[in-house]
Amino acid sequence: MMNRQELELYIHIPFCIRKCAYCDFLSFAAPERVYRDYMDKLIEEIYGQSACFQEHVVTSIFLGGGTPSVLPADLVEELFAVLLDCFCMDGDAEVTIEANPGTLTMEKLEVYRQSGINRISLGLQSADDQELKYLGRIHTYDEFLKSYQRARQAGFTNINVDLMSALPGQDLHSLKCTLRKVMMLRPEHISAYSLILEEGTPFYDFYRGEGAGGLVLPPLPDEDMDRAMYYLTRDMLEAQGYGRYEISNYAKPGFECRHNMGYWTGTEYLGLGLGASSYTFGHRYHNVTDLGEYLSLDLSQAGAAARDVQKLELEDKMEEFMFLGLRLTRGVSGSQFLERFGQNMWKVYGDVIRKMERKGLLKVEAPWVRLTDLGVDVSNGVLSEFLLEPGVLERLREG
């Protein structure tokens, strides 16, 4: 097993009870009879795809959605039996399921544990029931609390709680109350993201003045308040022993999300299910996004659902190394860059790094380069600087 290539699995379950007003993920409500049809095709895809990965070892699995916890327990149990049959699993693999409060029962949690799931990611977003209503969430804070306690009672010792800030009508006091309530529970991991208005969502339409089916919402916090909320979150969590290891992710020591770390550091991942994205054998692609089409395909053939297949060239991989790696608080390493690409990071990116350093957006502590606090505030602009101009590597080789 020591010589096997590492592989992460992402499994997409698109179903949810009701789609939230801010959500642009590939998710929707569906009758329960569709769950069985979908699982049959998903299992067919797993058998078809796994034949190509017999030399790999799976180090993490992430069931995302949608809301995977809406599935009946027996379907989850069946899914994991197939995964264990088809893939070589690392004995210490991190296995996560996303869950929404109100969808977890003790029966489901016990099946999860027996199936090998060892990490729960609970979508709270806010401890304020009014803010939850604005978001269109299906639960209250009390229902979240009961779900969290059930997960602990079932024996889960690795729980993530998802939070959002810059919500409609939210202020620093409200956010502080949410953070205090969550920290009292001592989850191992907290993801804390700012609300983003995604095109095509009711929130986007409402706040862009285009109408959104009768939504009535208070104003969003302005950009300055958004940043104040970010730093309040960071300071409160770090004071309680949560290390910020990525722009929006915090963990107790040793509980960083290994699956997401794999995304940010270039580990191969195979996406299974409707719309799932993959990065394998130097190619990036995603599955079909139409449920009817997915259910009609012969998924016993490897790659039958893959669309928009793109071969990553060396320049593409270097760019991703930089703008994914810089999301991590440790930053990127010049020695790792050299080991991976056979190129000196300073020859490729030295001008950009020095320019960003002069502006106070990057800090250099050889061999590491990382974002400063100011760099985090404008991270999208900083990271876009690491897109390479055509022909840059050829010029470096000639030089």
Side-chain angles (χ1 to χ4, degrees):
M1 189 175 295
M2 290 292 289
N3 296 324
R4 288 178 180 263
Q5 182 80 20
E6 290 187 2
L7 178 70
E8 300 188 329
L9 299 180
Y10 172 78
I11 300 168
H12 192 68
I13 307 298
F15 310 115
C16 52
I17 303 296
R18 183 181 68 218
K19 196 171 182 71
C20 297
Y22 60 87
C23 177
D24 76 330
F25 293 154
L26 181 54
S27 60
F28 43 82
E32 282 200 26
R33 65 178 181 275
V34 178
Y35 298 174
R36 176 73 264 175
D37 295 338
Y38 183 77
M39 187 59 66
D40 287 343
K41 296 305 291 187
L42 181 57
I43 288 172
E44 185 179 299
E45 184 187 6
I46 291 169
Y47 278 113
Q49 289 284 64
S50 62
C52 303
F53 296 93
Q54 294 305 298
E55 301 304 314
H56 289 69
V57 58
V58 173
T59 55
S60 72
I61 302 176
F62 196 102
L63 265 70
T67 307
S69 55
V70 302
L71 292 178
D74 62 314
L75 293 187
V76 175
E77 186 176 34
E78 183 179 355
L79 171 64
F80 274 89
V82 172
L83 289 171
L84 290 172
D85 184 49
C86 289
F87 291 97
C88 174
M89 301 292 299
D90 187 325
D92 189 39
E94 176 191 86
V95 185
T96 303
I97 186 169
E98 287 186 331
N100 273 348
T103 63
L104 285 178
T105 63
M106 285 304 295
E107 178 201 4
K108 287 182 179 179
L109 287 161
E110 288 165 4
V111 168
Y112 296 167
R113 291 268 295 156
Q114 293 164 7
S115 298
I117 295 172
N118 52 31
R119 185 173 183 271
I120 300 280
S121 182
L122 269 175
L124 169 59
Q125 315 315 343
S126 170
D128 184 297
D129 286 346
Q130 184 58 62
E131 291 172 0
L132 292 174
K133 285 182 181 178
Y134 290 145
L135 291 172
R137 302 292 291 175
I138 64 169
H139 61 87
T140 63
Y141 175 69
D142 186 60
E143 288 170 326
F144 160 81
L145 197 55
K146 289 175 181 175
S147 294
Y148 184 92
Q149 291 167 340
R150 285 191 192 109
R152 288 298 194 207
Q153 290 166 6
F156 283 92
T157 58
N158 192 354
I159 299 178
N160 168 64
V161 176
D162 278 340
L163 298 177
M164 294 178 72
S165 60
L167 304 180
Q170 190 179 47
D171 57 22
L172 289 175
H173 174 72
S174 167
L175 177 60
K176 190 178 293 187
C177 289
T178 286
L179 290 168
R180 283 174 174 165
K181 288 180 178 180
V182 171
M183 289 188 298
M184 285 177 63
L185 298 173
R186 313 303 294 168
E188 287 70 31
H189 190 283
I190 296 174
S191 296
Y193 294 91
S194 293
L195 173 67
I196 297 175
L197 295 180
E198 300 287 2
E199 195 167 354
T201 65
F203 263 33
Y204 183 92
D205 293 341
F206 178 84
Y207 286 109
R208 292 293 185 265
E210 299 173 15
L215 275 183
V216 178
L217 299 167
L220 293 175
D222 62 22
E223 189 173 339
D224 289 341
M225 179 57 71
D226 181 14
R227 298 320 299 161
M229 289 178 169
Y230 178 85
Y231 287 110
L232 173 68
T233 300
R234 184 197 67 178
D235 294 345
M236 287 185 66
L237 292 180
E238 289 186 344
Q240 293 298 315
Y242 290 92
R244 181 172 63 98
Y245 67 98
E246 190 267 349
I247 288 178
S248 301
N249 284 276
Y250 303 79
K252 291 290 188 179
F255 287 96
E256 296 81 3
C257 178
R258 283 186 273 152
H259 187 85
N260 284 344
M261 286 295 293
Y263 285 154
W264 297 319
T265 56
T267 301
E268 286 190 309
Y269 56 90
L270 174 65
L272 299 158
L274 188 70
S277 296
S278 299
Y279 169 54
T280 63
F281 303 112
H283 291 77
R284 196 174 298 287
Y285 50 96
H286 67 82
N287 279 356
V288 297
T289 57
D290 180 80
L291 179 62
E293 183 180 3
Y294 181 80
L295 295 177
S296 69
L297 292 170
D298 178 6
L299 297 180
S300 64
Q301 303 300 311
R307 299 293 184 271
D308 298 329
V309 179
Q310 174 196 4
K311 183 179 187 299
L312 268 63
E313 304 298 337
L314 181 59
E315 291 90 338
D316 300 318
K317 295 177 182 178
M318 287 180 174
E319 289 170 353
E320 292 202 355
F321 179 91
M322 299 302 290
F323 56 70
L324 291 176
L326 282 169
R327 290 189 60 87
L328 299 170
T329 54
R330 73 185 187 195
V332 294
S333 161
S335 56
Q336 290 178 359
F337 190 96
L338 179 63
E339 181 181 350
R340 183 170 298 187
F341 304 118
Q343 295 281 340
N344 186 310
M345 185 174 76
W346 286 92
K347 284 188 176 180
V348 180
Y349 283 116
D351 290 345
V352 173
I353 293 171
R354 282 185 282 268
K355 181 175 76 171
M356 295 294 104
E357 186 181 21
R358 285 194 300 272
K359 292 183 176 181
L361 303 174
L362 289 178
K363 184 169 184 178
V364 178
E365 295 174 327
W368 296 93
V369 177
R370 62 177 178 82
L371 290 172
T372 62
D373 285 348
L374 181 59
V376 170
D377 288 343
V378 292
S379 58
N380 287 342
V382 176
L383 300 181
S384 68
E385 293 283 334
F386 289 90
L387 295 172
L388 291 170
E389 295 179 4
V392 66
L393 292 186
E394 286 76 4
R395 292 195 294 272
L396 285 172
R397 293 189 189 104
E398 292 169 1

